[in-house]
Amino acid sequence: MTPARRSQTAFLILLVGTILSAAILFGAVAEVPLPGGGPRLDVRHLFVGLVLALGAAVLLTAPRERRPRAAWIAALAALPLWAALSLVELPLPVLETVAPARAAAALATPAGPIEGCDRQLVEASPPASAPISFDPLLTRQTVFYMAAAAIAFLASFAFFSGHRARLLALAVTLSLFGFAESVYGLWQWASGTPMVLWQEKTAFVDAATGTLINRNHFAQLVYIGLAATLALLLLPRAAGSDVVSRERAMAIRVALGLAVTTQLAAILASRSRAGLGCAVIVLLAAGVVFVRRRGRLRLLESLLALAVLVPLALVTVPPVLERLADVSLEWTGPAGRGEVFRTSLRIIAEHPVFGTGAGTFSLIWGGYRPPTIHGAYNYAHNDYLQVLIETGLPGFAFALLPIMLFVWRIWKRGRWQLFADPLGLPLLGALGAVALHELVDFGLQIPSNLMLVAVLAGALAPSPLIRTPGRGGRLAAAIAVLAILAAPLAVLHSLARWPALAGRIGWPDPPSVRHRIAGQQFERWRDRMSDDPAAARAAACSGL
């Protein structure tokens, strides 16, 4: 193995390890306590920065002939570039032309009036310019997510595509991870613990959620692992002539069968309707391979599966059936998914071209929320719909580009061999299940789930790779260099939220940090007012 290949392998292992570690840390959406009991650190963009840097390193150390072609790069870069356009400050007359609803919102909330210390009034005045995004900070963060997922796909493509042994190693890794998540989720459900690691559950307390907060996102991780386990179970094995070889092969089959049973049990314990449906899709994909190979389940494996699944199904299936009975009410009732969908169509109608800005759904929803829906609604519970709202019709088309290219390449290169592929078809079934799952959920809004799906898709994306060094290889290297330059900026987004560094990092200046600093200043001012009002007023106005 050459030094470049060893380096690429090491970077890829670090990339996959980082993604799986983030899945263990609540999907990289929570804060991690630091030693000494100090303030917690927001790991979201720390994770994104690592993915950008490691993915870029995999691309740069890949042989030039294995770097992805320009078609893949263009398809993956279209959405983040389009989303980044909404960060550009536009003069108000231009904004009124290209995004009239956004311009109206900017005019409705001008700066001022403000009463100064000298009793002068700063008059309210409309802004001279504004970006298309309703919240540039949220949009910038989401663009980082999109770019990291694109880099993860390209890195995985450069490393795995066309390498059967490497894809097999990835399947083993995903199978082990899915099994570990399943065991933890089942223990969590059976013990009735209210904790996820060191954090207390506030929702889904009666369901298995593993190391994630949401049962649907947990089910998504597990059925991806289930697909990998089924792929390993279906792989043909050379039959040895001696007793030891036969016993070893039987032991492997039994172990994999138990792993499949455990993962199915965990999905049942999650009580996720969509998760259960997606698991069925994965099973059907594996079933196609199984039937084409004219295989048959062995008696021991069948009895083991039934011994575990039947008692568990008696406990978990009735609640799932009850939730399935509520589907029609959710779509027709005044406070369910149907009302969210209808309200979302109103938002799209008012922002059809550029949308409201990537990542701004939770912000924009409050202005449209029907009175029948109470509480915060941070996601549309339909990622396709959310992309439409946030990036408009062009953004939605750009989001579909990599999916369309992926399907076309699969169809063109190996549509007939695909149905007999024991390794590829179950994993492709998992990707198809994810695509359908996002119609009713927001699993890909979770950073670790998004990056894991990107790595799996890149590994399964078929060639062609460029045969000789050329424009595609140079473009991939240029994209990798940009990713390395962007990685520190993503890390700053995480560090800027850490109270110990608040005010010391000038960028990105999150509103939450400004609010915290203003609160601290107010507390100090109030304390001084109670001791010496005149001195406190003079100190407050001394800088004006």
Side-chain angles (χ1 to χ4, degrees):
M1 185 183 292
T2 64
R5 183 174 173 182
R6 282 197 296 269
S7 298
Q8 186 195 25
T9 303
F11 286 129
L12 194 282
I13 291 171
L14 287 173
L15 175 64
V16 174
T18 298
I19 292 170
L20 298 183
S21 299
I24 294 172
L25 291 175
F26 314 106
V29 296
E31 296 178 336
V32 174
L34 296 174
R40 294 175 174 237
L41 177 64
D42 186 335
V43 300
R44 269 175 271 208
H45 288 84
L46 190 61
F47 166 63
V48 168
L50 285 172
V51 171
L52 284 169
L54 292 171
V58 173
L59 273 179
L60 288 175
T61 52
R64 293 184 64 181
E65 66 274 7
R66 287 198 55 80
R67 291 175 186 164
R69 277 189 170 181
W72 283 113
I73 296 172
L76 290 161
L79 180 59
L81 288 176
W82 175 257
L85 283 178
S86 65
L87 296 171
V88 178
E89 289 270 343
L90 298 176
L92 207 60
V94 177
L95 192 64
E96 288 176 326
T97 302
V98 300
R102 174 66 180 102
L107 288 170
T109 55
I114 303 172
E115 188 177 353
C117 288
D118 57 357
R119 312 300 296 174
Q120 295 296 316
L121 195 68
V122 178
E123 296 291 343
S125 58
S129 63
I132 292 173
S133 171
F134 278 74
D135 190 320
L137 179 69
L138 290 174
T139 297
R140 190 164 58 239
Q141 292 173 352
T142 307
V143 169
F144 277 124
Y145 287 152
M146 295 174 179
I151 290 295
F153 178 98
L154 294 173
S156 179
F157 184 89
F159 186 83
F160 289 108
S161 184
H163 275 270
R164 192 77 172 178
R166 295 180 180 181
L167 183 59
L168 179 60
L170 179 64
V172 171
T173 303
L174 294 180
S175 175
L176 290 172
F177 178 74
F179 177 73
E181 276 283 345
S182 300
V183 170
Y184 179 67
L186 285 170
W187 171 84
Q188 186 183 63
W189 170 75
S191 66
T193 177
M195 306 297 291
V196 178
L197 301 179
W198 57 82
Q199 184 167 307
E200 187 174 359
K201 277 189 184 184
T202 57
F204 309 114
V205 293
D206 61 341
T209 61
T211 59
L212 300 182
I213 307 299
N214 187 297
R215 62 183 167 201
N216 299 301
H217 306 157
F218 165 69
Q220 188 171 79
L221 278 185
V222 175
Y223 68 68
I224 290 174
L226 172 66
T229 309
L230 287 168
L232 297 174
L233 184 60
L234 290 169
L235 281 176
R237 291 176 177 82
S241 56
D242 57 292
V243 175
V244 174
S245 297
R246 289 196 296 271
E247 289 180 347
R248 185 183 297 116
M250 174 58 73
I252 291 173
R253 287 179 63 87
V254 170
L256 290 171
L258 284 173
V260 167
T261 305
T262 304
Q263 289 162 332
L264 285 172
I267 293 171
L268 284 171
S270 74
R271 301 183 180 181
S272 168
R273 294 169 297 186
L276 185 58
C278 290
V280 171
I281 293 172
V282 170
L283 289 171
L284 288 174
V288 170
V289 178
F290 186 78
V291 170
R292 285 184 63 89
R293 292 180 56 217
R294 292 180 174 85
R296 57 187 179 84
L297 288 175
R298 299 192 179 184
L299 179 61
L300 178 59
E301 295 163 349
S302 303
L303 290 177
L304 286 172
L306 290 174
V308 174
L309 286 177
V310 170
L312 185 68
L314 293 175
V315 177
T316 58
V317 168
V320 174
L321 293 178
E322 289 178 9
R323 297 189 65 234
L324 286 172
D326 294 336
V327 169
S328 60
L329 182 61
E330 287 187 14
W331 284 97
T332 58
R337 293 175 184 265
E339 187 61 27
V340 173
F341 182 79
R342 291 185 288 272
T343 304
S344 297
L345 292 180
R346 287 175 44 216
I347 304 175
I348 295 168
E350 293 186 16
H351 307 272
V353 180
F354 293 98
T356 62
T360 60
F361 177 85
S362 59
L363 175 71
I364 202 70
W365 174 257
Y368 292 84
R369 181 178 61 83
T372 55
I373 296 180
H374 305 287
Y377 222 95
N378 295 329
Y379 303 99
H381 289 257
N382 180 329
D383 274 348
Y384 301 100
L385 189 63
Q386 187 159 333
V387 168
L388 262 172
I389 291 169
E390 295 179 349
T391 61
L393 291 168
F396 180 70
F398 292 145
L400 293 180
L401 270 180
I403 300 174
M404 295 170 62
L405 181 59
F406 185 95
V407 172
W408 181 70
R409 290 291 192 197
I410 289 284
W411 184 257
K412 182 180 179 182
R413 276 308 186 100
R415 57 187 182 272
W416 303 119
Q417 294 84 357
L418 174 66
F419 294 105
D421 182 6
L423 184 57
L425 189 57
L427 294 172
L428 285 171
L431 286 182
V434 169
L436 291 175
H437 196 166
E438 298 314 293
L439 286 169
V440 293
D441 198 46
F442 56 98
L444 297 187
Q445 300 292 333
I446 307 305
S448 64
N449 283 26
L450 174 62
M451 304 308 164
L452 182 61
V453 170
V455 165
L456 180 59
L460 295 174
S463 299
L465 301 169
I466 57 175
R467 299 305 178 189
T468 56
R471 185 168 55 187
R474 289 192 294 269
L475 181 58
I479 292 294
V481 171
L482 289 175
I484 290 175
L485 295 175
L489 302 180
V491 171
L492 283 178
H493 271 273
S494 279
L495 297 181
R497 286 180 171 80
W498 188 26
L501 296 176
R504 300 182 184 180
I505 298 178
W507 189 90
D509 192 22
S512 59
V513 172
R514 279 186 271 126
H515 183 271
R516 188 188 308 119
I517 294 173
Q520 293 169 350
Q521 291 173 342
F522 174 77
E523 292 293 336
R524 288 195 294 268
W525 174 83
R526 187 177 63 181
D527 293 341
R528 297 186 65 177
M529 279 290 289
S530 62
D531 297 334
D532 189 347
R537 185 180 297 276
C541 296
S542 60
L544 299 177

